[in-house]
Amino acid sequence: MKIILSALAMAALSCSAESQLESVDVHIGTAIHGNTLVGPARPFSMVKPGPDTDIRRNYLHAEYITAFSQLHISGTGGNAQSAVLGIMPIVGDVKVDPREYRSAFDPAEGIADPSYYSIMLKDHNIRTEITSTERVAVYRITFPESEESRVLVDVSHAFNQFRGGEIRVIDNKTIEGTGKYNGYMGSDFDVAFRIEFSKGFRRPGVWKGDEVLKGKNQAEVEGDVALGAFMDFKTHEGETIMMKIGMSYVDVDGARRNIEKEFPGWNFEQIRRESNQIWKNELSKVKVSGGTDDQITTFYTAMYHSMLSPSILSDADGRYEGFDGKIHHAEGFTYYGEFSLWDTYRTAHPLFSLLHPQRQRDMVQSLITVSQDGGWL
């Protein structure tokens, strides 16, 4: 199998870019503790939305989707910033226990590629579609006819321990909040979010622990106590409601500005097309000839996986939270984090130097900045 690196001759490879993208199989690594993302992302993006299942780190053998969360670490042994901020569309009574609101699904009936995910939640007869920008997850949810269509927002949903947070209903189309979580090996982290709906909801409510508070617009908890909100809708058969979820490691204003910068409108297909083109451009930096179809699939899937981490941690305005706990501004570079560093210094990062030299420069600058902000590396 012959491999040609061609980072400069993008136009010459454009005719094969479609097949290179089609060669990526996002289901590789999603069984038997693979801990690999099934869901849309952009290269090295902050958000990596996708389904979480009843079998942790296993998608292909799972029976239930427990929620769709916005941040995932893909491919590592540790979960770190995984499964944060669960979203679950349902029909029927408000339920706050994931074992009650989860839904059966069939992985074979879903659609998944680097830019798009779609699945039918069988217990609720709801189709959920997801695409994303670098810092914004975008959902398109198709409901059946119902007086009790709902969207649950579970702030306490996380693979690792939830440490507390708050959620606020801003108006009938907007909610905001923050969450605190335990990361991998004691690396605690906080996130902020803003969720905007394309349709106004009728009656909001929140929950704290197992207490459902209908009509309430705000809730806050300390420690590992369930926390969330629910939005009620009346829907007709096949009605689609969209959501955009801005995430930030800084504050809610950062999450809002990330939405304003990256997805101010509601054109789901445009974002999906843009993401497709970005992945085509990245994958076409390497041209493979010879080999079997399976070998080509393995190669381009591995190349795709190599671009899921490290992740952008700075907001669209350049702000980030440093290792000193203070807010800084990345001047002249994008701030990255979630470095695995388990041999990546001699495997992934040399590849980045060839294929993504500007990003690799920013990653090295980010590590230097970690030392400057935190006092050690």
Side-chain angles (χ1 to χ4, degrees), residues 121-134:
L121 300 176
K122 294 190 173 185
D123 290 344
H124 304 297
N125 193 28
I126 294 172
R127 176 161 296 281
T128 300
E129 300 170 275
I130 318 173
T131 189
S132 64
T133 66
E134 288 185 334

Side-chain angles (χ1 to χ4, degrees), residues 59 107 109-113 116-120 127-130:
Y59 178 79
E109 295 179 358
I111 301 172
D113 62 43
Y116 174 75
Y117 176 79
S118 173
I119 198 70
M120 176 63 75
R127 176 161 296 281
T128 300
E129 300 170 275
I130 318 173

Side-chain angles (χ1 to χ4, degrees), residues 357-371:
Q358 182 60 48
R359 289 188 188 270
Q360 173 67 359
R361 170 198 171 276
D362 288 356
M363 290 175 191
V364 172
Q365 182 60 55
S366 297
L367 290 171
I368 293 172
T369 301
V370 167
S371 175

Side-chain angles (χ1 to χ4, degrees), residues 26-338:
V26 300
H27 292 106
I28 291 177
T30 64
I32 316 300
H33 301 291
N35 199 30
T36 306
L37 175 70
V38 179
R42 289 190 178 180
F44 307 100
S45 59
M46 176 187 292
V47 299
K48 298 177 182 69
D52 301 322
T53 67
D54 57 315
I55 305 178
R56 189 167 173 176
R57 304 192 201 177
N58 191 324
Y59 178 79
L60 289 179
H61 298 154
E63 293 183 52
Y64 299 99
I65 288 176
T66 57
F68 302 93
S69 57
Q70 317 318 309
L71 305 177
H72 289 93
I73 295 287
S74 183
T76 65
N79 291 305
Q81 276 93 310
S82 276
V84 167
L85 188 63
I87 300 296
M88 193 66 177
I90 67 169
V91 170
D93 294 338
V94 176
K95 302 177 179 69
V96 300
D97 186 333
R99 293 168 297 183
E100 296 180 352
Y101 66 63
R102 69 186 186 180
S103 175
F105 80 110
D106 184 349
E109 295 179 358
I111 301 172
D113 62 43
S115 306
Y116 174 75
Y117 176 79
S118 173
I119 198 70
M120 176 63 75
L121 300 176
K122 294 190 173 185
D123 290 344
H124 304 297
N125 193 28
I126 294 172
R127 176 161 296 281
T128 300
E129 300 170 275
I130 318 173
T131 189
S132 64
T133 66
E134 288 185 334
R135 300 172 179 87
V136 181
V138 183
Y139 287 74
R140 184 167 62 187
I141 304 169
T142 303
F143 288 92
E145 181 178 0
S146 177
E147 295 277 346
E148 297 182 316
S149 293
R150 310 183 198 276
V151 174
L152 308 180
V153 179
D154 190 344
V155 183
S156 51
H157 176 89
F159 278 173
N160 293 322
Q161 189 174 34
F162 177 60
R163 296 185 292 111
E166 63 172 335
I167 191 164
R168 302 180 303 277
V169 178
I170 306 303
D171 55 42
N172 73 335
K173 288 187 174 182
T174 312
I175 64 174
E176 295 178 341
T178 58
K180 300 182 288 185
Y181 307 89
N182 286 348
Y184 182 63
M185 299 297 287
S187 56
D188 296 345
F189 65 99
D190 300 351
V191 298
F193 61 89
R194 178 181 171 92
I195 304 178
E196 299 180 7
F197 292 83
S198 61
K199 176 181 177 176
F201 41 83
R202 296 188 299 172
R203 295 180 299 272
V206 299
W207 72 84
K208 298 170 63 173
D210 59 2
E211 183 182 11
V212 176
L213 303 171
K214 294 185 178 181
K216 297 294 185 181
N217 291 336
Q218 188 272 340
E220 183 174 359
V221 300
E222 290 292 334
D224 190 11
V225 179
L227 173 69
F230 54 91
M231 290 74 217
D232 294 353
F233 300 91
K234 178 182 178 180
T235 57
H236 58 75
E237 182 67 31
E239 182 173 359
T240 295
I241 297 175
M242 287 184 60
M243 302 166 53
K244 43 189 173 184
I245 306 176
M247 302 293 291
S248 170
Y249 287 100
V250 179
D251 54 27
V252 168
D253 284 342
R256 174 180 54 80
R257 283 193 283 265
N258 288 340
I259 291 176
E260 292 172 348
K261 175 69 174 180
E262 297 184 359
F263 189 50
W266 291 103
N267 193 329
F268 185 98
E269 292 301 328
Q270 178 182 350
I271 295 301
R272 182 182 176 184
R273 287 193 300 269
E274 289 175 357
S275 294
N276 258 331
Q277 189 59 53
I278 289 169
W279 281 113
K280 288 178 185 178
N281 293 344
E282 293 295 338
L283 293 169
S284 65
K285 290 179 179 179
V286 179
K287 184 177 182 180
V288 176
S289 61
T292 65
D293 290 345
D294 284 347
Q295 287 175 319
I296 291 174
T297 293
T298 299
F299 179 87
Y300 281 110
T301 302
M303 186 176 173
Y304 151 74
H305 281 153
S306 76
M307 289 181 272
L308 294 180
S309 63
S311 301
I312 295 170
L313 297 192
S314 53
D315 286 340
D317 60 10
R319 294 184 306 149
Y320 68 92
E321 183 179 2
F323 269 63
D324 56 0
K326 299 178 181 178
I327 306 305
H328 301 269
H329 192 275
E331 298 287 351
F333 72 103
T334 299
Y335 184 77
Y336 287 84
E338 299 175 357

